Amino acid sequence: MVRALRDQDGITSEPVAAAFAAVPRHRFAPDAPLELAYDLHRTVPVKKDEHGLDISVMSAAHLQAVMLEQAGIEPGMRVLEIGSGGVNAAYLQELVGSKGEITTVDIDRDVIDRARLCLDDTGYTEVKTVLADGETGVPDGAPYDRIIVTAAAWDIPASWISGLTAKGRLVVPLTMCGTTRSIAFDRDDDGLISRSYGLARFVPMQGEGAAEERKAMLRDGVALQTDDVRVPLNAQALNRALDTPRLERWSGAAYDLPDELELYLTLNLSSAARLHADKDAVEHGLVEASALYGVPALVSEDSIAYRTRRENESTGGFESGVIAHGPQAEALADEYVDVLRRWAQDHRHRGAATFRYLPGAAPTPLPRDAVRRRHGIVTVAWN
């Protein structure tokens, strides 16, 4: 596993490699096959809700490694983990050593009790486990050199910022308009500024920090979601739009770096949501395959546009395009294509975004590059 994580750039430093080599990962997933416990990209279910959906998992090894590298943990540090599975706390203890302190907190008693048992069973008795809502942090032990959040967070509460040292770092899977990125934030005056970000997929935060998601089922197998209250989600009108003839527009721009392009589209379309479709909807030609895992969509009251691609050797392999439906299809397609071209011309590289989190009341009017949150705003600048 460690060799494979190095090969895939999940592990890039010797301390993280040593931590992964030292911790018996399978003993934190005693009911899972070894192949699953040590798989780089699969999670291990820990607890499900009444609908059978995962509410706690042991995160994939690759994602854990990437976030630990983002955190830049050094011996002797004091670290808080929000969302507990046990094994990540063990990695953290290896990284901080005997002079450091690890606290892991979870809102679910079953989860925190399980983590405690696994930590004790593997000899990591010095890790402190706390049953509490991570929204409030753990003041007993603050300030922390690092705070690592292992659940998808919709916002950043003041307790996480005030709980950091002056040179502290927060690593958090932050969700914006249905798209999640693991962002490493450093303190910047009263707020935070990003130093790196990467793909992330986590179970959602529970408790006070739960996401304010809006969802609309257009028909069986087709849905839209967003957390932006300004986006119209008229399910009946948008469902009718899907029955209208489709409009295709092609940008002439290369389709590559899909995760970076997705982030740019999500944060730059004027009325963005995330379109999801199941296999049946795609196979029947209702929507394109890009919607299978979610694709940024531009929506109005009665029309929708979303990204697709086609083979085109002149653009290096694939070309970005747009599919639009409804009375406003032309206007939506024009805006979407313009955003695709701006990305290709001005920002087509990894790490193009710089995020800032500014706590406190949002300004009026809200800047175009800002995303409103309960405790503050996120702004994004593109290099």
Side-chain angles (χ1 to χ4, degrees):
M1 179 188 68
V2 174
R3 286 195 300 271
L5 286 170
R6 285 183 184 274
D7 291 343
Q8 296 189 18
D9 293 327
I11 289 178
T12 58
S13 70
E14 292 307 317
V16 173
F20 269 76
V23 176
R25 186 177 178 86
H26 59 284
R27 290 172 65 179
F28 290 85
D31 298 324
L34 284 176
E35 292 79 5
L36 177 58
Y38 286 92
D39 191 287
L40 268 60
H41 300 288
R42 295 169 65 196
T43 61
V44 178
V46 170
K47 186 175 180 179
K48 297 180 182 292
D49 65 12
E50 65 273 18
H51 305 295
L53 300 175
D54 289 328
I55 56 174
S56 179
V57 300
M58 185 170 84
S59 298
H62 189 276
L63 180 51
Q64 288 177 322
V66 167
M67 292 182 71
L68 292 176
E69 294 286 6
Q70 284 184 293
I73 295 165
E74 299 175 3
M77 281 186 169
R78 183 180 290 132
V79 182
L80 171 63
E81 179 192 35
I82 296 175
S84 186
V87 69
N88 203 55
Y91 294 144
L92 290 168
Q93 189 63 61
E94 290 285 343
L95 288 166
V96 302
S98 60
K99 295 184 179 180
E101 297 179 12
I102 302 301
T103 301
T104 181
V105 59
D106 202 281
I107 196 172
D108 191 311
R109 178 172 291 281
D110 292 339
V111 172
I112 202 70
D113 287 350
R114 178 186 181 279
R116 179 76 270 162
L117 287 171
C118 291
L119 288 163
D120 290 345
D121 178 61
T122 49
Y124 294 96
T125 56
E126 63 270 47
V127 173
K128 181 180 179 181
T129 52
V130 176
L131 175 65
D133 190 334
E135 174 86 353
T136 60
V138 181
D140 183 16
Y144 300 95
D145 299 292
R146 301 289 187 265
I147 296 177
I148 298 180
V149 183
T150 62
W154 186 80
D155 199 2
I156 298 176
S159 62
W160 296 359
I161 302 175
S162 64
L164 287 170
T165 62
K167 294 184 178 180
R169 183 174 302 165
L170 169 69
V171 181
V172 55
L174 192 62
T175 297
M176 295 162 287
C177 305
T179 297
T180 303
R181 293 295 183 272
S182 172
I183 305 177
F185 284 107
D186 287 342
R187 291 200 71 164
D188 180 46
D189 296 326
D190 294 330
L192 301 166
I193 186 169
S194 66
R195 58 179 293 119
S196 68
Y197 62 89
L199 282 170
R201 192 180 187 89
F202 278 94
V203 295
M205 187 76 67
Q206 301 178 54
E208 289 296 319
E212 297 184 354
E213 284 285 346
R214 299 165 59 221
K215 296 182 180 179
M217 288 296 301
L218 307 193
R219 63 181 69 183
D220 286 345
V222 183
L224 283 167
Q225 71 174 115
T226 184
D227 53 30
D228 190 338
V229 297
R230 299 169 296 180
V231 176
L233 288 183
N234 186 331
Q236 188 174 10
L238 293 171
N239 184 41
R240 286 197 300 268
L242 290 178
D243 290 325
T244 65
R246 61 189 250 161
L247 171 70
E248 288 189 15
R249 283 282 171 79
W250 297 98
S251 67
Y255 173 77
D256 55 10
L257 302 177
D259 53 318
E260 294 286 342
L261 173 58
E262 178 182 272
L263 183 65
Y264 186 79
L265 290 170
T266 298
L267 298 177
N268 283 276
L269 293 170
S270 64
S271 182
R274 195 164 180 83
L275 175 66
H276 296 267
D278 63 16
K279 189 176 179 180
D280 285 345
V282 172
E283 289 180 346
H284 283 86
L286 182 64
V287 293
E288 293 287 296
S290 56
L292 279 173
Y293 299 102
V295 63
L298 176 62
V299 298
S300 66
E301 281 286 348
D302 58 5
S303 303
I304 184 170
Y306 62 96
R307 181 197 53 73
T308 187
R309 68 176 190 176
R310 68 180 178 184
E311 292 187 9
N312 187 337
E313 291 183 4
S314 67
T315 60
F318 288 95
E319 176 188 4
S320 291
V322 177
I323 302 296
H325 295 268
Q328 309 302 318
E330 292 270 357
L332 296 188
D334 286 346
E335 178 184 340
Y336 209 124
V337 166
D338 181 60
V339 175
L340 288 170
R341 288 171 177 160
R342 289 207 315 267
W343 159 258
Q345 293 165 9
D346 302 331
H347 311 292
R348 186 182 160 199
H349 62 90
R350 293 206 174 278
T354 298
F355 299 87
R356 286 185 181 272
Y357 186 85
L358 304 174
T364 302
L366 192 69
R368 180 174 174 80
D369 65 349
V371 180
R372 188 190 304 271
R373 286 295 179 261
R374 194 180 300 130
H375 303 298
I377 62 170
V378 182
T379 66
V380 189
W382 298 90
N383 304 317

